[in-house]
Amino acid sequence: MISTQDRKFLEHLDQLEPKAHCLRAKIAAMFVKKGKILIQHTNDWHKEYNCSRIGCIRDEMQIPSGHRREICYGICAEQWCISEAAKKGISLEGSTLYVSKHPCRICASMITVSGTKRVVYQEGYSVAMSDFDILKKQGIRVEQGPNTKFKDPKTSASHSI
C-alpha cells in the first residue's frame, strides 16, 4: 500500500528525473531508510564517455528499450546509488528503493544483494519477465506507485512528469 510518505518520496523522485543526463531515458532512484534519503541518483553516462558528445550507441544501432544494455555507456540510476553507497560506506540493508521504472534484470540482482527490503516503482518495464522476477522471489516487497505532480519552485507551477 502506497502511503503519504511514499508519495512524498515519489514526488521528490519526479523532481530528480529531469536532471538525468541519459539521452534516451530520464530515470531517478533513491534509497530511503527510516524516512531519511540515504542516497539518490539518476541514470547517467560513465564520466569518461559523455554521450552528449559521442551520441547514443543504442539509438544509432536502433536497439529497442531494455535490450543490449551491455553496449551502453550509461549506468542505471539504481547502479549509481548502490555504487555510491558502497563507496561512502552507506548500508542499504532494510531500505526502500524508490525508482522511476521497474528495475532491469541486472539492477534487480544487485538490489537483492544490497539488502533492500522494498521497491516502489512508478512505471512498468516492457521487458520485465514475471517468471524471472528475482525481487519477488527473494522476498522483496514490490509495489507500483503513481507518477506525482509537484510544484516547480522556480515557476510555482504544478507539473506532471
Side-chain angles (χ1 to χ4, degrees):
M1 174 175 270
I2 302 301
S3 70
T4 302
Q5 185 174 19
D6 289 329
R7 287 181 184 275
K8 179 185 92 171
F9 288 120
L10 291 169
E11 183 174 297
H12 182 72
L13 193 72
D14 285 342
Q15 292 175 30
L16 285 176
E17 284 176 346
K19 297 176 182 179
H21 290 122
C22 180
L23 302 176
R24 198 169 236 231
K26 303 291 184 196
I27 299 173
M30 72 177 82
F31 285 84
V32 174
K33 189 173 180 181
K34 296 179 182 173
K36 180 183 173 206
I37 297 172
L38 301 175
I39 198 93
Q40 63 185 18
H41 213 291
T42 60
N43 58 331
D44 203 349
W45 51 70
H46 188 281
K47 68 180 181 175
E48 301 293 322
Y49 303 96
N50 183 329
C51 297
S52 67
R53 285 198 319 264
I54 64 174
C56 175
I57 192 167
R58 292 171 67 220
D59 278 350
E60 290 171 16
M61 295 176 73
Q62 299 178 348
I63 297 170
S65 177
H67 297 270
R68 303 286 320 269
R69 288 279 302 134
E70 75 278 4
I71 67 168
C72 182
Y73 290 117
I75 301 171
C76 294
E78 303 95 304
Q79 292 171 15
W80 273 106
C81 287
I82 292 168
S83 298
E84 288 295 310
K87 205 162 57 171
K88 295 176 179 182
I90 299 170
S91 172
L92 301 177
E93 188 76 35
S95 65
T96 294
L97 166 64
Y98 294 91
V99 64
S100 304
K101 298 237 188 239
H102 188 285
C104 71
R105 181 74 174 89
I106 295 165
C107 289
S109 295
M110 293 175 70
I111 291 161
T112 64
V113 175
S114 75
T116 300
K117 296 297 178 204
R118 181 174 175 236
V119 173
V120 179
Y121 70 96
Q122 291 177 308
E123 295 177 22
Y125 204 15
S126 61
V127 296
M129 298 178 286
S130 58
D131 291 343
F132 300 99
D133 190 342
I134 191 170
L135 296 170
K136 289 181 182 175
K137 289 190 180 200
Q138 293 296 311
I140 295 173
R141 209 165 91 216
V142 179
E143 299 175 79
Q144 186 168 5
N147 285 316
T148 64
K149 291 184 179 185
F150 66 93
K151 288 193 177 187
D152 186 334
K154 293 177 187 164
T155 65
S156 296
S158 184
H159 296 282
S160 218
I161 302 286

